[in-house]
Amino acid sequence: MDFTLDDVQREIADLASVVLRKELDPDRAWRALADSGLLALALPAELGGDGLGVAEVTMVLTEVGRAATPVPAFTALALGVLPISRLGSPRQRAELLPGIASGDSLVTAALHEPSAPLVRRPATTAVAVDGSWSLSGTKIGVPYAATAAKILVPASVLGGTGVFLVDPHAVGVTLTATRNSSGSPECTVGLAGVRVEETDLLEDRQSGEAIATLHRFALAGAAALADGTLAGALELTTAHVGSREQFGKPLARFQAVAQEIADVYVASRTLHLAAMSAVWRLSAGLDADADLDIAAYWLAEEAPKALALCHHLHGGLGVDVTYPLHRYYSAVKDLGRFVGGTASRLDKLGELVG
């Protein structure tokens, strides 16, 4: 495996970094990402995109994490653009993707059910009724559900599973705002006999490959975003302990401080390697499930511990809301919850060797 970025990927990462460090206001940063074409990388050429894939999209997510900019890039790209580009019909792609690329609309995904993160056999059901579908069930932790143009909703159908495009304001949909660490919009979505047309069912309804593809893109995006987030927190903390003096010398020169910052470095580099391995295999069309599970476990188990060390090394400054460290910590906590938490990810790893 060669994880060296090619010229296109390096240019994407550099451009995203410049945009995000120039525009500190989230709304302006989001508009700048769209105007620079970074939200259109995976769109097909006929829709004004570059026809690129998951490897290039995750370059953007990593830089969003590194800057800790609170924009809906993960939702738009990992939960919207990538799965629709792969699974959507030509009509669905033409209807939904240009709006996401322009920054004017979002598509999100409802991947979790009560006590069942990233559920593979949903309790939510879809029943064929008079040439359409009727969906019933409950989804939790759905990002940007209230403002999304559509929600990708996995549901069990007769003989398998399907992924449906649901209007969040359709009759039978209830949206209940829920809290998270970062304060970004999130809802519990209730579905009570919601009617969905046949044309709003993504391809491959029976084999379960659609829901598996949706999960793979979600995990790859989460790992890439967390990779950048932890790297950004490490940079921030390294700069702090290198410049803050105590007893007449920089904090970084104290052995205990040096050991703790080294622990954060090890966690950051390991998450980076795990994320890059998973994305590389996914982009190459190889079986990436094991690598994604490893990256998700490291995210859930080790990234929050590393951020706790960053807080410790900052002292009281770390909890000041005018200082950026809290954005990194809250982002990592939300991502760890999104992938299911440590126990859930450990169960997934156990299935690999069971």
Side-chain angles (χ1 to χ4, degrees), residues 40-260:
L41 297 174
L43 269 65
E46 61 268 22
L47 295 179
D50 299 291
L52 300 174
V54 62
E56 289 73 26
V57 168
T58 54
M59 295 296 104
V60 178
L61 293 177
T62 298
E63 293 308 315
V64 169
R66 194 186 307 275
T69 306
V71 294
F74 172 69
T75 299
L77 299 176
L79 304 185
V81 168
L82 287 174
I84 292 171
S85 296
R86 175 70 61 84
L87 301 169
S89 66
R91 182 194 66 81
Q92 290 165 346
R93 292 196 292 269
E95 178 182 325
L96 297 171
L97 293 180
I100 303 174
S102 68
D104 295 324
S105 67
L106 285 176
V107 171
T108 187
L111 304 185
H112 314 300
E113 294 182 347
S115 301
L118 293 165
V119 59
R120 289 177 285 188
R121 295 179 179 83
T124 300
T125 59
V127 179
V129 178
D130 298 330
S132 62
W133 296 89
S134 176
L135 272 65
S136 297
T138 301
K139 301 291 186 177
I140 64 172
V142 184
Y144 293 89
T147 55
K150 294 285 186 178
I151 304 174
L152 291 167
V153 177
S156 294
V157 301
L158 183 63
T161 58
V163 178
F164 298 82
L165 289 164
V166 175
D167 182 345
H169 305 294
V171 175
V173 177
T174 58
L175 303 175
T176 303
T178 53
R179 294 182 177 181
N180 55 27
S181 294
S182 64
S184 61
E186 180 181 291
C187 286
T188 291
V189 178
L191 306 163
V194 179
R195 298 299 287 268
V196 177
E197 298 302 317
E198 181 70 27
T199 53
D200 283 328
L201 171 63
L202 297 187
E203 296 176 0
D204 195 85
R205 77 178 65 162
Q206 297 295 331
S207 71
E209 184 58 26
I211 190 171
T213 298
L214 189 54
H215 286 181
R216 290 179 190 124
F217 285 139
L219 290 175
L225 185 60
D227 173 22
T229 302
L230 186 50
L234 174 61
E235 292 171 9
L236 191 68
T237 308
T238 301
H240 173 74
V241 298
S243 60
R244 180 68 177 268
E245 291 191 358
Q246 196 167 36
F247 303 115
K249 62 181 180 180
L251 288 173
R253 293 179 60 186
F254 290 90
Q255 185 177 22
V257 172
Q259 289 173 336
E260 288 191 336

Side-chain angles (χ1 to χ4, degrees), residues 261-279:
I261 202 70
D263 288 341
V264 178
Y265 175 81
V266 169
S268 177
R269 294 302 299 169
T270 305
L271 178 57
H272 175 71
L273 177 61
M276 290 291 289
S277 176
V279 169

